[in-house]
Amino acid sequence: MSWDVFISHASEDKDAVARPLAESLQTSGYKVWYDESTLTLGDNLRRSIEHGLANSRFGIVILSPSFFAKKWPQLELDGLFALERPDQKKILPVWHNVTASDVERFSSFLAMRLGVPTSTGLENVVKKIIDAINRESAIHSEPASAVSTPRLHPHSIEMLQVALEANGEIMTLWHLGGFSVTAGNKPLGHEADPRAIALNLHCLEELVANGLADRRSEHLCVLTQEGFDYQIPTGVTEAPAPQFPTLTEANLGNAKELMKAAVAGNGRIMSLAHLGGHVFQAGGRSIETGGDRRAEARWNSVLNELVTKGLLLQHATQSYLVSHLGFLWTDTVNKQDAQK
């Protein structure tokens, strides 16, 4: 796991509870996913939060009147509920200016869990959270904040090694010929090959997500202390097996059509509005809606789901790139269709 805890909160509770709690846990040696310290300019908010939820051992949920009134924190809570297993707790409730009756009205599931009120003081809240983490760690024999070496894609490891020889810097640049990644004077992957571009983007995100590199600017990543200290696990010659998402059945046929065309071309999809309606360009193929609003809505639904499920990356307002996972998914789809 990349983080010990994920902090879900309403923005109104940031100053009073969320930030002091995050700082106290970090001072105590715990890795904390907290928006102010984890997100950087230009990050895809939904993808970053989904990644944080999936890669945190526990979710601290700051329940308050503001939390109950907002949609976004509740979506994070739904994500934590979905990740929780019957044999292992994931959600750690913190009550801020709410009573047991308030929590009961909001969620009967949460009301059955013991929460710690902020009225007892920050020090007590932190102590209760650490006690819960340590107790759960003892049960499952998984010590919090244990020094770990994440299993990376071999290309990510190559990036690290090349960056180590170049003062810890990785430079990235979008240009007319494609997307280049260099460390020192060494280019990583063919800059005009859409698969190489997708792999480079994937591996950069992997380094940042695992805390091995920091994004200093749009074009510069710098290795962290963890990146400099990374020990390559023995026998890592293949990438971890990809976990393919399940797409909505109604979108699946159109998704295959778009992705296959994009992968057979330049790995890009464009969504362009014009006087006659809308056109979706995938690789060398154009799909006209002819002004049909239902058709336009369907294709936009497909695009949104492909982005949400990580098969596409939104490069600009109307431009999409097939992700590394998207290339692998489409290869699998092509193989399955060929066997039918």
Side-chain angles (χ1 to χ4, degrees):
M1 289 288 182
S2 299
W3 296 278
D4 293 315
V5 294
F6 177 102
I7 298 183
S8 176
H9 66 289
S11 57
E12 290 82 354
D13 303 319
K14 189 179 295 291
D15 292 339
V17 187
R19 187 184 298 113
L21 181 57
E23 291 172 350
S24 293
L25 287 169
Q26 287 167 338
T27 300
S28 299
Y30 292 88
K31 295 179 181 176
V32 180
W33 196 105
Y34 171 62
D35 54 8
E36 284 187 343
S37 59
T38 307
L39 294 176
T40 57
L41 184 66
D43 280 355
N44 182 305
L45 189 59
R46 178 184 291 275
R47 285 181 59 205
S48 297
I49 288 174
E50 287 177 348
H51 181 81
L53 288 171
N55 289 278
S56 297
R57 294 185 53 229
F58 299 92
I60 297 172
V61 183
I62 300 173
L63 302 174
S64 70
S66 297
F67 186 97
F68 295 159
K70 290 198 161 186
K71 181 180 180 181
W72 190 263
Q74 293 181 36
L75 291 174
E76 294 176 354
L77 178 59
D78 290 342
L80 287 168
F81 271 125
L83 292 167
E84 196 167 49
R85 302 201 306 265
D87 62 332
Q88 191 170 5
K89 79 168 69 167
K90 183 134 185 137
I91 300 172
L92 307 177
V94 173
W95 294 1
H96 181 58
N97 296 333
V98 293
T99 65
S101 299
D102 296 329
V103 178
E104 171 68 36
R105 282 193 293 272
F106 175 71
S107 168
S108 57
F109 286 107
L110 280 176
M112 292 186 290
R113 298 167 186 262
L114 183 64
V116 55
T118 57
S119 58
T120 61
L122 178 64
E123 187 176 340
N124 181 62
V125 172
V126 172
K127 181 180 182 302
K128 293 292 186 184
I129 289 171
I130 291 175
D131 287 347
I133 292 174
N134 290 339
R135 190 179 305 116
E136 201 69 12
S137 298
I139 293 171
H140 296 280
S141 301
E142 184 182 351
S145 291
V147 176
S148 61
T149 300
R151 181 180 171 84
L152 302 178
H153 191 287
H155 189 65
S156 300
I157 295 173
E158 182 185 356
M159 275 190 181
L160 272 177
Q161 291 176 313
V162 173
L164 284 170
E165 299 166 6
N167 201 28
E169 294 184 350
I170 303 171
M171 299 294 297
T172 66
L173 182 65
W174 284 100
H175 50 82
L176 291 176
F179 175 72
S180 62
V181 177
T182 59
N185 294 319
K186 182 174 180 180
L188 295 165
H190 194 285
E191 59 192 43
D193 179 350
R195 284 183 182 260
I197 292 171
L199 180 58
N200 275 325
L201 286 170
H202 169 80
C203 291
L204 274 172
E205 291 298 327
E206 188 172 51
L207 294 181
V208 172
N210 282 286
L212 302 174
D214 278 336
R215 217 182 292 278
R216 294 291 174 85
S217 71
E218 183 183 356
H219 303 301
L220 175 65
C221 287
V222 177
L223 297 189
T224 62
Q225 184 64 52
E226 288 81 359
F228 280 105
D229 294 342
Y230 183 81
Q231 299 295 313
I232 300 173
T234 57
V236 176
T237 57
E238 295 182 358
Q243 298 295 311
F244 295 128
T246 302
L247 299 184
T248 304
E249 189 64 33
N251 286 343
L252 186 58
N254 291 35
K256 287 182 179 180
E257 191 177 339
L258 269 184
M259 294 293 285
K260 284 184 174 185
V263 166
N266 57 10
R268 294 173 184 259
I269 297 174
M270 298 291 292
S271 171
L272 303 170
H274 57 84
L275 292 176
H278 213 96
V279 60
F280 297 89
Q281 294 178 345
R285 182 172 178 195
S286 294
I287 301 167
E288 283 277 2
T289 62
D292 183 340
R293 292 291 189 184
R294 284 183 178 272
E296 181 183 331
R298 166 59 61 206
W299 287 109
N300 278 324
S301 170
V302 171
L303 277 175
N304 289 336
E305 183 170 18
L306 289 172
V307 172
T308 301
K309 298 294 176 65
L311 301 180
L312 283 183
L313 304 174
Q314 188 153 12
H315 175 46
T317 306
Q318 298 175 309
S319 175
Y320 303 83
L321 300 173
V322 178
S323 70
H324 178 59
L325 182 64
F327 276 105
L328 299 179
W329 179 81
T330 308
D331 289 344
T332 303
V333 166
N334 284 332
K335 193 175 297 182
Q336 289 171 345
D337 289 349
Q339 291 171 349
K340 289 180 181 177

